[in-house]
Amino acid sequence: MANEEDDPVVQEIDVYLAKSLAEKLYLFQYPVRPASMTYDDIPHLSAKIKPKQQKVELEMAIDTLNPNYCRSKGEQIALNVDGACADETSTYSSKLMDKQTFCSSQTTSNTSRYAAALYRQGELHLTPLHGILQLRPSFSYLDKADAKHREREAANEAGDSSQDEAEDDVKQITVRFSRPESEQARQRRVQSYEFLQKKHAEEPWVHLHYYGLRDSRSEHERQYLLCPGSSGVENTELVKSPSEYLMMLMPPSQEEEKDKPVAPSNVLSMAQLRTLPLADQIKILMKNVKVMPFANLMSLLGPSIDSVAVLRGIQKVAMLVQGNWVVKSDILYPKDSSSPHSGVPAEVLCRGRDFVMWKFTQSRWVVRKEVATVTKLCAEDVKDFLEHMAVVRINKGWEFILPYDGEFIKKHPDVVQRQHMLWTGIQAKLEKVYNLVKETMPKKPDAQSGPAGLVCGDQRIQVAKTKAQQNHALLERELQRRKEQLRVPAVPPGVRIKEEPVSEEGEEDEEQEAEEEPMDTSPSGLHSKLANGLPLGRAAGTDSFNGHPPQGCASTPVARELKAFVEATFQRQFVLTLSELKRLFNLHLASLPPGHTLFSGISDRMLQDTVLAAGCKQILVPTAASPDEQKVFALWESGDMSDQHRQVLLEIFSKNYRVRRNMIQSRLTQECGEDLSKQEVDKVLKDCCVSYGGMWYLKGTVQS
């Protein structure tokens, strides 16, 4: 109380906030000058500004008549900068340093606490400052002088070299092509000092007109520093509540602000998410999660949300795969975007990702190599697709990340039917773009038919062996039926057929052995039994069963053409699956002229019979592949030196669907009784096998 009495209030001043120049008012800080001289007395030749950078350059005249001015030094500087010849581009047209440039720099980035005050008639008018710039002399003319000096030296050296050399030497140049820039590299480049300097230099200058302190225009602009009204109604910015006024007097410290957790720019809290429209909520959730069951989506949106509205919204941003929702490709790869790995446009990326999604509607498993082969995309892009919706399993491939949601399929059949129609359209588009073979495609997606059973490893081998044993009896009955048909062929009159009891005894022995043992793969069995009903020791050119051709096969032009195709195909490729053979046959048909005999219609049974009649053998490979992939045919005798080696190799693969190289080499050495060279083993493997993951498989039987 005593201090307040000693320091009484002398005068109360009204404070007004003027906002007319709030976004345009700058404070310039000039270098220190003698008190007798003001910068307003010095002529300002030009002024320019870069608004985004808040950078200003001023050109001010130098008093060359001042006794303190050194004329000889000014002439020397002008000569160094412009040279002896003056033109329009010269910095100093008077051949004398008669002006100086001042360049600005920001003293502080936060000017919200600064204002320009004007006191008039007992009122204090405040105008917030938009920027505070400190002007300093610029010595860019010295850089021009150095550049001129280097140009003169380069010209002198060029003149000397031209006198010594009559002709210029041919110089070799190296052309380099830049690789596509990744997203991380682009961000580093954008944040680099060189890039920022380049962007600053690219901003154009805005030229200004300078008006002195006593100019009429300055007097007019100075009136904007006054608040237009003096009533408190128009100055509501100064009317604050006690709590707001206290906060302005004592703002929170920077340490307290740093303690508050700040979420990344790409993260949206659930509280913020629920303030958005329902369609935006669904789109943001699916874009971040990629794959989600419908039940999880409903739990995230809240219990008050209508499931019918969510179903309507989810179908706009996602597709149904195995009862789960996968975000659409055009949501992740919008138009005019590109791959960060290869630079491929968004349209190609969407098509490739749609192919991966479509594959998962057909099966729980997808092989990355197959996707890369079909889509022709780089490995990084394909890996991104698969990581969105699958997890990798060693020696198996990529499995869909979520289990099959049968509950949703049963509960919403109308949505499932609509999605099935959409996938049918996408499948047709993929067939057209990627030239997919229709007959190799499943007729119904797994989302409609239920989850697929999975067997792998030892279980796969066991299942395949069980299937082979179950089908063996059917194959034997079919073989006997064919033999009965061939045993009584249509014989012309007067022709007698010699029947040999030895063949019948051999056939009975074979039937007895087949009943005792499903599949004999021992070395002795290779040369003593029938292969698919054909004697193994018969000549390569013989096409008869016990001396007679198959019924209705050898005499027709269609059969002859088909046999020629099969023999030529197996001479080039010793091992083929039925599906691969059908594919090659379709390509062969496409190359034939219209009206060819083969267009009359070739069934799968006729094709298989022709293959067996051409000296090939069916290998029962123990795999869990499709029926056409399980049917593997191999040329048993081609007439070259590798027939014996090839037969031993096929015997090995009739027991195991994948084998290591050292096992193959040791078995070949044991059976052939000689040390085979690496080149011979490589030739046999190249004819019949493919290598994958350190193991060897028969061609067409690799599953993962």
Side-chain angles (χ1 to χ4, degrees), residues 1 23 31 40-41 93 117 176 197 219 246 274 298 345 444 484 489 561 576 584 697:
M1 296 294 293
E23 300 295 330
D40 190 61
D41 299 330
S93 57
R176 295 182 179 179
Q197 289 294 104
E219 289 289 344
L246 183 61
R274 287 175 180 172
M298 289 299 300
K444 186 185 294 186
E484 290 295 334
E561 290 287 342
L576 287 172
L584 295 176
Y697 302 78

PDB file of all heavy atoms in Angstrom, residues 1 23 31 40-41 93 117 176 197 219 246 274 298 345 444 484 489 561 576 584 697:
ATOM      1  N   MET A   1       0.820  -1.204   0.000  1.00  0.00           N
ATOM      2  CA  MET A   1       0.000   0.000   0.000  1.00  0.00           C
ATOM      3  C   MET A   1       0.850   1.248   0.000  1.00  0.00           C
ATOM      4  O   MET A   1       0.537   2.241  -0.665  1.00  0.00           O
ATOM      5  CB  MET A   1      -0.916  -0.003   1.218  1.00  0.00           C
ATOM      6  CG  MET A   1      -1.941  -1.143   1.214  1.00  0.00           C
ATOM      7  SD  MET A   1      -3.145  -0.992  -0.118  1.00  0.00           S
ATOM      8  CE  MET A   1      -3.995   0.474   0.430  1.00  0.00           C
ATOM      9  N   GLU A  23      -1.405  -6.870 -42.014  1.00  0.00           N
ATOM     10  CA  GLU A  23      -0.728  -7.865 -42.850  1.00  0.00           C
ATOM     11  C   GLU A  23       0.277  -7.240 -43.807  1.00  0.00           C
ATOM     12  O   GLU A  23       0.806  -7.947 -44.674  1.00  0.00           O
ATOM     13  CB  GLU A  23      -1.778  -8.649 -43.661  1.00  0.00           C
ATOM     14  CG  GLU A  23      -2.788  -9.401 -42.820  1.00  0.00           C
ATOM     15  CD  GLU A  23      -2.133 -10.513 -42.004  1.00  0.00           C
ATOM     16  OE1 GLU A  23      -1.121 -11.071 -42.467  1.00  0.00           O
ATOM     17  OE2 GLU A  23      -2.628 -10.811 -40.907  1.00  0.00           O
ATOM     18  N   PRO A  31      21.508   0.020 -40.873  1.00  0.00           N
ATOM     19  CA  PRO A  31      22.783   0.108 -40.143  1.00  0.00           C
ATOM     20  C   PRO A  31      22.911   1.457 -39.426  1.00  0.00           C
ATOM     21  O   PRO A  31      22.281   2.453 -39.794  1.00  0.00           O
ATOM     22  CB  PRO A  31      23.825  -0.055 -41.245  1.00  0.00           C
ATOM     23  CG  PRO A  31      23.121  -0.733 -42.360  1.00  0.00           C
ATOM     24  CD  PRO A  31      21.702  -0.256 -42.300  1.00  0.00           C
ATOM     25  N   ASP A  40      16.287   8.833 -44.539  1.00  0.00           N
ATOM     26  CA  ASP A  40      15.301   9.470 -45.401  1.00  0.00           C
ATOM     27  C   ASP A  40      15.927  10.556 -46.260  1.00  0.00           C
ATOM     28  O   ASP A  40      15.396  10.901 -47.310  1.00  0.00           O
ATOM     29  CB  ASP A  40      14.181  10.056 -44.537  1.00  0.00           C
ATOM     30  CG  ASP A  40      13.004  10.509 -45.384  1.00  0.00           C
ATOM     31  OD1 ASP A  40      12.417   9.626 -46.070  1.00  0.00           O
ATOM     32  OD2 ASP A  40      12.692  11.700 -45.368  1.00  0.00           O
ATOM     33  N   ASP A  41      17.078  11.074 -45.808  1.00  0.00           N
ATOM     34  CA  ASP A  41      17.772  12.083 -46.599  1.00  0.00           C
ATOM     35  C   ASP A  41      18.527  11.486 -47.772  1.00  0.00           C
ATOM     36  O   ASP A  41      18.922  12.207 -48.687  1.00  0.00           O
ATOM     37  CB  ASP A  41      18.738  12.860 -45.696  1.00  0.00           C
ATOM     38  CG  ASP A  41      18.002  13.591 -44.572  1.00  0.00           C
ATOM     39  OD1 ASP A  41      16.832  13.962 -44.808  1.00  0.00           O
ATOM     40  OD2 ASP A  41      18.597  13.750 -43.493  1.00  0.00           O
ATOM     41  N   SER A  93      26.905   2.486 -64.230  1.00  0.00           N
ATOM     42  CA  SER A  93      26.928   3.097 -65.568  1.00  0.00           C
ATOM     43  C   SER A  93      27.811   4.343 -65.615  1.00  0.00           C
ATOM     44  O   SER A  93      28.303   4.710 -66.679  1.00  0.00           O
ATOM     45  CB  SER A  93      25.492   3.450 -65.990  1.00  0.00           C
ATOM     46  OG  SER A  93      24.896   4.318 -65.035  1.00  0.00           O
ATOM     47  N   ALA A 117       3.501   1.590 -32.557  1.00  0.00           N
ATOM     48  CA  ALA A 117       2.606   2.435 -31.758  1.00  0.00           C
ATOM     49  C   ALA A 117       2.661   3.868 -32.253  1.00  0.00           C
ATOM     50  O   ALA A 117       3.737   4.392 -32.581  1.00  0.00           O
ATOM     51  CB  ALA A 117       2.980   2.357 -30.283  1.00  0.00           C
ATOM     52  N   ARG A 176      24.464 -40.606 -69.016  1.00  0.00           N
ATOM     53  CA  ARG A 176      23.901 -41.371 -67.907  1.00  0.00           C
ATOM     54  C   ARG A 176      22.393 -41.119 -67.824  1.00  0.00           C
ATOM     55  O   ARG A 176      21.948 -39.999 -68.031  1.00  0.00           O
ATOM     56  CB  ARG A 176      24.554 -40.980 -66.578  1.00  0.00           C
ATOM     57  CG  ARG A 176      26.042 -41.323 -66.513  1.00  0.00           C
ATOM     58  CD  ARG A 176      26.608 -40.960 -65.151  1.00  0.00           C
ATOM     59  NE  ARG A 176      28.027 -41.288 -65.053  1.00  0.00           N
ATOM     60  CZ  ARG A 176      28.776 -41.062 -63.976  1.00  0.00           C
ATOM     61  NH1 ARG A 176      28.233 -40.486 -62.917  1.00  0.00           N
ATOM     62  NH2 ARG A 176      30.042 -41.397 -63.969  1.00  0.00           N
ATOM     63  N   GLN A 197      17.496 -23.394 -51.355  1.00  0.00           N
ATOM     64  CA  GLN A 197      18.107 -22.219 -51.964  1.00  0.00           C
ATOM     65  C   GLN A 197      17.623 -22.015 -53.397  1.00  0.00           C
ATOM     66  O   GLN A 197      17.393 -20.885 -53.837  1.00  0.00           O
ATOM     67  CB  GLN A 197      19.635 -22.363 -51.945  1.00  0.00           C
ATOM     68  CG  GLN A 197      20.255 -22.242 -50.557  1.00  0.00           C
ATOM     69  CD  GLN A 197      20.067 -20.835 -49.996  1.00  0.00           C
ATOM     70  OE1 GLN A 197      19.226 -20.616 -49.125  1.00  0.00           O
ATOM     71  NE2 GLN A 197      20.825 -19.891 -50.496  1.00  0.00           N
ATOM     72  N   GLU A 219       2.154  10.412 -46.095  1.00  0.00           N
ATOM     73  CA  GLU A 219       1.221  10.988 -45.133  1.00  0.00           C
ATOM     74  C   GLU A 219      -0.141  10.294 -45.197  1.00  0.00           C
ATOM     75  O   GLU A 219      -0.781  10.030 -44.175  1.00  0.00           O
ATOM     76  CB  GLU A 219       1.045  12.484 -45.421  1.00  0.00           C
ATOM     77  CG  GLU A 219       2.269  13.333 -45.077  1.00  0.00           C
ATOM     78  CD  GLU A 219       2.475  13.452 -43.581  1.00  0.00           C
ATOM     79  OE1 GLU A 219       1.524  13.137 -42.823  1.00  0.00           O
ATOM     80  OE2 GLU A 219       3.581  13.825 -43.160  1.00  0.00           O
ATOM     81  N   LEU A 246      -5.558 -13.160 -18.270  1.00  0.00           N
ATOM     82  CA  LEU A 246      -4.486 -13.756 -17.481  1.00  0.00           C
ATOM     83  C   LEU A 246      -3.640 -14.689 -18.343  1.00  0.00           C
ATOM     84  O   LEU A 246      -2.415 -14.742 -18.205  1.00  0.00           O
ATOM     85  CB  LEU A 246      -5.094 -14.515 -16.299  1.00  0.00           C
ATOM     86  CG  LEU A 246      -4.100 -15.143 -15.316  1.00  0.00           C
ATOM     87  CD1 LEU A 246      -3.228 -14.069 -14.675  1.00  0.00           C
ATOM     88  CD2 LEU A 246      -4.835 -15.940 -14.252  1.00  0.00           C
ATOM     89  N   ARG A 274     -14.697 -39.832 -35.535  1.00  0.00           N
ATOM     90  CA  ARG A 274     -16.150 -39.919 -35.410  1.00  0.00           C
ATOM     91  C   ARG A 274     -16.849 -38.589 -35.647  1.00  0.00           C
ATOM     92  O   ARG A 274     -18.074 -38.541 -35.690  1.00  0.00           O
ATOM     93  CB  ARG A 274     -16.498 -40.472 -34.033  1.00  0.00           C
ATOM     94  CG  ARG A 274     -16.180 -41.967 -33.921  1.00  0.00           C
ATOM     95  CD  ARG A 274     -16.390 -42.523 -32.544  1.00  0.00           C
ATOM     96  NE  ARG A 274     -16.064 -43.955 -32.526  1.00  0.00           N
ATOM     97  CZ  ARG A 274     -16.000 -44.694 -31.430  1.00  0.00           C
ATOM     98  NH1 ARG A 274     -16.239 -44.133 -30.248  1.00  0.00           N
ATOM     99  NH2 ARG A 274     -15.700 -45.971 -31.493  1.00  0.00           N
ATOM    100  N   MET A 298     -17.684 -52.700 -37.735  1.00  0.00           N
ATOM    101  CA  MET A 298     -18.823 -52.214 -36.960  1.00  0.00           C
ATOM    102  C   MET A 298     -18.416 -51.855 -35.536  1.00  0.00           C
ATOM    103  O   MET A 298     -18.900 -50.872 -34.965  1.00  0.00           O
ATOM    104  CB  MET A 298     -19.929 -53.277 -36.938  1.00  0.00           C
ATOM    105  CG  MET A 298     -20.634 -53.470 -38.267  1.00  0.00           C
ATOM    106  SD  MET A 298     -21.472 -51.973 -38.848  1.00  0.00           S
ATOM    107  CE  MET A 298     -22.627 -51.696 -37.508  1.00  0.00           C
ATOM    108  N   PRO A 345       2.734 -46.175 -63.612  1.00  0.00           N
ATOM    109  CA  PRO A 345       1.543 -45.361 -63.307  1.00  0.00           C
ATOM    110  C   PRO A 345       0.518 -46.123 -62.496  1.00  0.00           C
ATOM    111  O   PRO A 345       0.517 -47.351 -62.429  1.00  0.00           O
ATOM    112  CB  PRO A 345       1.020 -44.978 -64.699  1.00  0.00           C
ATOM    113  CG  PRO A 345       1.603 -45.978 -65.630  1.00  0.00           C
ATOM    114  CD  PRO A 345       2.931 -46.358 -65.061  1.00  0.00           C
ATOM    115  N   LYS A 444     -15.805 -71.016 -59.780  1.00  0.00           N
ATOM    116  CA  LYS A 444     -16.494 -70.351 -58.681  1.00  0.00           C
ATOM    117  C   LYS A 444     -15.467 -69.908 -57.662  1.00  0.00           C
ATOM    118  O   LYS A 444     -14.590 -70.681 -57.282  1.00  0.00           O
ATOM    119  CB  LYS A 444     -17.486 -71.309 -58.039  1.00  0.00           C
ATOM    120  CG  LYS A 444     -18.356 -70.643 -56.964  1.00  0.00           C
ATOM    121  CD  LYS A 444     -19.230 -71.646 -56.277  1.00  0.00           C
ATOM    122  CE  LYS A 444     -20.256 -72.233 -57.180  1.00  0.00           C
ATOM    123  NZ  LYS A 444     -21.192 -73.122 -56.459  1.00  0.00           N
ATOM    124  N   GLU A 484      -9.633-105.359 -73.817  1.00  0.00           N
ATOM    125  CA  GLU A 484     -10.699-106.203 -74.354  1.00  0.00           C
ATOM    126  C   GLU A 484     -11.187-105.678 -75.700  1.00  0.00           C
ATOM    127  O   GLU A 484     -11.489-106.441 -76.606  1.00  0.00           O
ATOM    128  CB  GLU A 484     -11.867-106.247 -73.354  1.00  0.00           C
ATOM    129  CG  GLU A 484     -11.560-107.013 -72.072  1.00  0.00           C
ATOM    130  CD  GLU A 484     -11.317-108.475 -72.321  1.00  0.00           C
ATOM    131  OE1 GLU A 484     -11.832-109.009 -73.330  1.00  0.00           O
ATOM    132  OE2 GLU A 484     -10.588-109.106 -71.525  1.00  0.00           O
ATOM    133  N   PRO A 489     -10.553-106.945 -82.579  1.00  0.00           N
ATOM    134  CA  PRO A 489     -10.762-105.880 -83.552  1.00  0.00           C
ATOM    135  C   PRO A 489     -11.527-106.380 -84.774  1.00  0.00           C
ATOM    136  O   PRO A 489     -11.705-107.578 -84.977  1.00  0.00           O
ATOM    137  CB  PRO A 489      -9.333-105.476 -83.914  1.00  0.00           C
ATOM    138  CG  PRO A 489      -8.562-106.746 -83.762  1.00  0.00           C
ATOM    139  CD  PRO A 489      -9.185-107.514 -82.646  1.00  0.00           C
ATOM    140  N   GLU A 561      -2.689 -86.490 -87.808  1.00  0.00           N
ATOM    141  CA  GLU A 561      -2.245 -85.131 -87.497  1.00  0.00           C
ATOM    142  C   GLU A 561      -1.959 -84.968 -85.995  1.00  0.00           C
ATOM    143  O   GLU A 561      -0.979 -84.346 -85.592  1.00  0.00           O
ATOM    144  CB  GLU A 561      -3.310 -84.119 -87.933  1.00  0.00           C
ATOM    145  CG  GLU A 561      -3.458 -83.971 -89.428  1.00  0.00           C
ATOM    146  CD  GLU A 561      -2.288 -83.212 -90.038  1.00  0.00           C
ATOM    147  OE1 GLU A 561      -1.571 -82.530 -89.293  1.00  0.00           O
ATOM    148  OE2 GLU A 561      -2.094 -83.317 -91.264  1.00  0.00           O
ATOM    149  N   LEU A 576       5.850 -83.294 -69.849  1.00  0.00           N
ATOM    150  CA  LEU A 576       4.776 -82.312 -69.949  1.00  0.00           C
ATOM    151  C   LEU A 576       3.609 -82.763 -69.073  1.00  0.00           C
ATOM    152  O   LEU A 576       3.286 -83.961 -69.022  1.00  0.00           O
ATOM    153  CB  LEU A 576       4.282 -82.150 -71.386  1.00  0.00           C
ATOM    154  CG  LEU A 576       5.190 -81.416 -72.383  1.00  0.00           C
ATOM    155  CD1 LEU A 576       4.622 -81.534 -73.783  1.00  0.00           C
ATOM    156  CD2 LEU A 576       5.321 -79.959 -71.984  1.00  0.00           C
ATOM    157  N   LEU A 584      -0.212 -76.065 -75.250  1.00  0.00           N
ATOM    158  CA  LEU A 584       0.576 -76.100 -76.487  1.00  0.00           C
ATOM    159  C   LEU A 584      -0.288 -76.512 -77.675  1.00  0.00           C
ATOM    160  O   LEU A 584      -0.100 -76.010 -78.794  1.00  0.00           O
ATOM    161  CB  LEU A 584       1.753 -77.063 -76.316  1.00  0.00           C
ATOM    162  CG  LEU A 584       2.810 -76.670 -75.276  1.00  0.00           C
ATOM    163  CD1 LEU A 584       3.861 -77.761 -75.147  1.00  0.00           C
ATOM    164  CD2 LEU A 584       3.477 -75.349 -75.660  1.00  0.00           C
ATOM    165  N   TYR A 697      12.272 -80.452 -59.239  1.00  0.00           N
ATOM    166  CA  TYR A 697      10.910 -80.927 -59.468  1.00  0.00           C
ATOM    167  C   TYR A 697      10.776 -81.298 -60.946  1.00  0.00           C
ATOM    168  O   TYR A 697      11.476 -80.758 -61.813  1.00  0.00           O
ATOM    169  CB  TYR A 697       9.873 -79.844 -59.157  1.00  0.00           C
ATOM    170  CG  TYR A 697       9.906 -79.292 -57.746  1.00  0.00           C
ATOM    171  CD1 TYR A 697      10.867 -78.360 -57.357  1.00  0.00           C
ATOM    172  CD2 TYR A 697       8.958 -79.683 -56.810  1.00  0.00           C
ATOM    173  CE1 TYR A 697      10.896 -77.846 -56.070  1.00  0.00           C
ATOM    174  CE2 TYR A 697       8.971 -79.165 -55.524  1.00  0.00           C
ATOM    175  CZ  TYR A 697       9.937 -78.249 -55.155  1.00  0.00           C
ATOM    176  OH  TYR A 697       9.952 -77.738 -53.892  1.00  0.00           O
TER     177      TYR A 697
END
